[in-house]
Amino acid sequence: MKKKKIFIKTWGCQMNTYDSSIIANILQKNNYKISSKEKNADIFVLNTCSIRNKAQEKLFHQLGRWKKIKEKNKNIIIAVGGCVAVQEGKKIFDRAPYINIIFGTQNVHQLPILIEKYIKNKLSILEINNLKTEKFNFYDNKKIFKTKEIVSIMEGCNKFCSFCIVPYTRGREISRNYKSIISEIMILAQNGVKEITLLGQNVNAYNFLKKNGKKVYFSKLLRYISEISQIKRIKFITSHPCEFTEDIIEVYRDIPKIVSFLHLPVQSGSNKILQLMKRRYNVNQYKEIISKLIKYRNNIQISSDFIIGFPGETKEDFQKTMKLISEINFDMSFSFLYSPRPGTPASKMKDNVSLEEKKERLYILQEKINEQTLSWSKKMLYTKQMVLVDGPSKKNIMQLSGKTENNRTVHFKGSKKHIGKIVPIKIIETSRYNLQGKLI
């Protein structure tokens, strides 16, 4: 039987990327072939994200393009998964009856079964059941790994921030068995991986209940991972400030493998807006976390998320955000204009900030962050940095590139023997995100 070819298109966060890797792995194990081009595929899979504005319209725009391809080949199967699939459900069939399968964020591992079921019965399938951590049993332990890999440790969120759709599409927090996580990381380490990024909607809420009734909290999981000798760097995203507890902060004191770079979303510098967002912390509590981290890591660099123009945000509230940005001296940020997500409490609030004002505030904020990013890079000039080498530079194939511990890309002249290793580099030239270095 000829292998059916699958084309997978992924939108959104790293969790979606992780889910798509599970989809690809399990399909390949079930006699399917992954295609890098739409024109060669028999089955189209779209893994969607609902975080950004107009996610639904983006979905149907893409499906419209695939509809034209399917009109020329009636045998093509179209499957839609991810957060928008969970959010919209049967409504997708109502608007795009030509698609064949809708599957949820916790059903990705079932896709081969769903495809075979559709081929047999020719009936549309909706599968968005809550299966908790079952999908984590389907990560691939035989593929060729890179020097860095992402490992998902939990899914869902219990915070219900007023602007966020994630608890409704990914469900409540569920922590993966810590033994499964350690097992996956050990396999990765044996295949040459040096850096691990732990992934979850709220990683620092991780807690796995053992059979004896005791819990493995996030700080304990970090300590377990640090004992794997081949793993040299440990990162994690994304954390919530209200659960960045003392035991997690102490990990920075005890474990050098935890990198001195942290992404900790604050969203706003105004306590009034934080309260409207239902973020469960105030500005002083956020600043206290950073202060404690700096006590153990005086060189730590912080990146964050900001939502600009949230309902109720005044010019004074925005100025408080700008003040916080200067005080913390954030290195980088992901900053966005507020736009309502259907079904969230914030979507019912009066949006009092005009689009023009939102854009102006966003520009001011991003310019400030850019200045600070450049300033942090300039501080690295003529310093020695330990760089994990990924491979040939995309800018110049005659050079190699890799990442510093604080997430900067460094380009330098080297040989193939350096790929996959952590090497000392002297920084000789800086720009905002990219550095030029010389092998020591």
Side-chain angles (χ1 to χ4, degrees):
M1 178 181 169
K2 182 184 175 183
K3 285 187 178 182
K4 288 191 176 295
K5 295 180 180 178
I6 313 268
F7 175 80
I8 303 172
K9 193 175 187 69
T10 307
W11 290 337
C13 66
Q14 286 176 300
M15 183 66 79
N16 270 28
T17 302
Y18 189 88
D19 285 350
S20 288
S21 71
I22 292 176
I23 291 170
N25 294 336
I26 195 169
L27 284 169
Q28 287 174 310
K29 288 177 180 177
N30 281 268
N31 208 38
Y32 292 92
K33 186 176 181 180
I34 304 302
S35 173
S36 60
K37 297 180 180 179
E38 291 179 354
K39 65 179 182 179
N40 298 329
D42 307 294
I43 301 170
F44 295 165
V45 178
L46 180 58
N47 192 3
T48 63
C49 175
S50 60
I51 296 297
R52 301 291 173 261
N53 189 23
K54 299 181 180 177
Q56 294 88 341
E57 293 310 309
K58 185 179 179 182
L59 163 66
F60 290 111
H61 185 67
Q62 177 62 51
L63 291 177
R65 290 199 292 267
W66 283 356
K67 179 186 179 183
K68 293 177 182 178
I69 299 174
K70 187 165 183 172
E71 285 172 349
K72 297 177 181 178
N73 182 356
K74 302 291 185 184
N75 294 321
I76 282 176
I77 297 172
I78 300 176
V80 177
C83 291
V84 179
V86 177
Q87 181 181 319
E88 297 298 305
K90 186 178 178 294
K91 293 178 185 177
I92 300 174
F93 282 139
D94 294 339
R95 188 166 165 183
Y98 49 87
I99 71 168
N100 312 109
I101 300 168
I102 297 173
F103 62 99
T105 55
Q106 295 179 19
N107 307 97
V108 295
H109 60 287
Q110 294 181 310
L111 195 51
I113 297 170
L114 301 180
I115 291 171
E116 292 305 310
K117 186 177 177 181
Y118 174 77
I119 291 173
K120 182 179 179 181
N121 300 324
K122 298 297 181 185
L123 296 173
S124 298
I125 297 171
L126 175 66
E127 192 72 44
I128 50 176
N129 296 325
N130 187 340
L131 299 176
K132 298 185 178 179
T133 60
E134 189 177 320
K135 72 177 182 183
F136 293 130
N137 298 326
F138 293 88
Y139 67 85
D140 188 8
N141 60 8
K142 293 187 175 68
K143 66 179 180 180
I144 299 172
F145 298 108
K146 303 175 184 177
T147 57
K148 302 191 285 280
E149 278 290 345
I150 293 171
V151 174
S152 187
I153 66 168
M154 65 180 298
E155 185 160 0
C157 185
N158 295 348
K159 300 300 170 287
F160 287 90
C161 298
S162 64
F163 57 84
C164 187
I165 195 70
V166 167
Y168 307 96
T169 57
R170 289 276 177 180
R172 294 297 188 99
E173 290 169 358
I174 182 75
S175 297
R176 180 181 174 189
N177 190 318
Y178 74 101
K179 290 183 179 179
S180 172
I181 296 168
I182 298 300
S183 175
E184 180 177 356
I185 293 174
M186 289 183 72
I187 292 167
L188 291 168
Q190 290 163 10
N191 283 271
V193 169
K194 300 290 193 301
E195 178 182 293
I196 290 293
T197 299
L198 304 178
L199 179 65
Q201 272 78 31
N202 183 18
V203 288
N204 51 339
Y206 177 89
N207 66 91
F208 180 78
L209 183 64
K210 297 198 285 188
K211 289 182 180 179
N212 62 6
K214 293 184 178 180
K215 285 188 174 183
V216 176
Y217 291 101
F218 185 54
S219 59
K220 188 65 174 177
L221 178 65
L222 290 171
R223 292 180 186 276
Y224 284 150
I225 295 168
S226 71
E227 294 172 3
I228 302 173
S229 60
Q230 301 99 317
I231 298 301
K232 305 301 181 185
R233 289 181 181 173
I234 304 170
K235 299 179 178 180
F236 50 86
I237 51 172
T238 297
S239 297
H240 195 293
C242 78
E243 287 181 305
F244 212 94
T245 48
E246 199 71 36
D247 58 317
I248 297 173
I249 293 171
E250 288 173 356
V251 168
Y252 285 82
R253 177 193 64 195
D254 301 336
I255 304 176
K257 288 183 179 183
I258 307 292
V259 300
S260 293
F261 184 89
L262 172 66
H263 184 71
L264 188 62
V266 65
Q267 305 297 0
S268 174
S270 164
N271 286 333
K272 182 192 83 177
I273 298 301
L274 290 176
Q275 190 172 7
L276 288 171
M277 289 178 170
K278 296 186 178 180
R279 290 292 287 174
R280 305 186 189 185
Y281 57 85
N282 59 41
V283 172
N284 283 338
Q285 289 170 326
Y286 184 90
K287 288 162 69 174
E288 188 178 352
I289 294 169
I290 304 303
S291 178
K292 288 178 178 179
L293 287 167
I294 291 173
K295 178 183 173 183
Y296 297 133
R297 298 283 183 93
N298 59 11
N299 64 334
I300 193 168
Q301 291 169 233
I302 310 295
S303 71
S304 192
D305 291 349
F306 296 95
I307 296 175
I308 307 304
F310 189 81
E313 183 186 84
T314 63
K315 290 182 179 179
E316 183 183 359
D317 294 319
F318 177 68
Q319 287 306 315
K320 288 179 180 179
T321 297
M322 294 303 297
K323 181 183 176 184
L324 181 65
I325 287 171
S326 295
E327 288 177 349
I328 300 296
N329 193 17
F330 288 106
D331 179 25
M332 300 178 185
S333 80
F334 295 96
S335 47
F336 312 98
L337 302 179
Y338 170 76
S339 58
R341 298 276 78 80
T344 60
S347 67
K348 299 173 184 177
M349 297 178 184
K350 184 179 179 181
D351 192 349
N352 63 304
V353 187
S354 69
L355 180 59
E356 185 179 358
E357 180 71 15
K358 287 179 185 178
K359 288 181 177 179
E360 184 178 345
R361 292 177 189 177
L362 181 64
Y363 176 80
I364 292 168
L365 184 147
Q366 290 180 338
E367 282 297 294
K368 180 61 177 176
I369 294 287
N370 287 342
E371 287 177 16
Q372 293 179 182
T373 303
L374 183 58
S375 176
W376 276 107
S377 289
K378 285 181 176 179
K379 290 178 183 179
M380 298 172 70
L381 188 62
Y382 305 128
T383 63
K384 183 179 84 170
Q385 299 290 325
M386 301 307 295
V387 175
L388 176 55
V389 185
D390 295 323
S393 168
K394 293 178 180 178
K395 284 192 166 189
N396 182 350
I397 60 170
M398 302 303 291
Q399 292 187 324
L400 298 176
S401 72
K403 291 280 189 179
T404 62
E405 188 182 318
N406 62 347
N407 213 36
R408 291 293 194 278
T409 300
V410 180
H411 307 274
F412 66 96
K413 289 182 179 179
S415 65
K416 289 183 179 179
K417 69 179 183 180
H418 297 121
I419 296 175
K421 296 180 180 179
I422 296 176
V423 298
I425 299 290
K426 182 179 180 180
I427 305 304
I428 58 174
E429 190 178 325
T430 64
S431 62
R432 190 185 304 158
Y433 298 113
N434 294 288
L435 309 173
Q436 196 69 32
K438 185 177 182 181
L439 191 66
I440 299 175

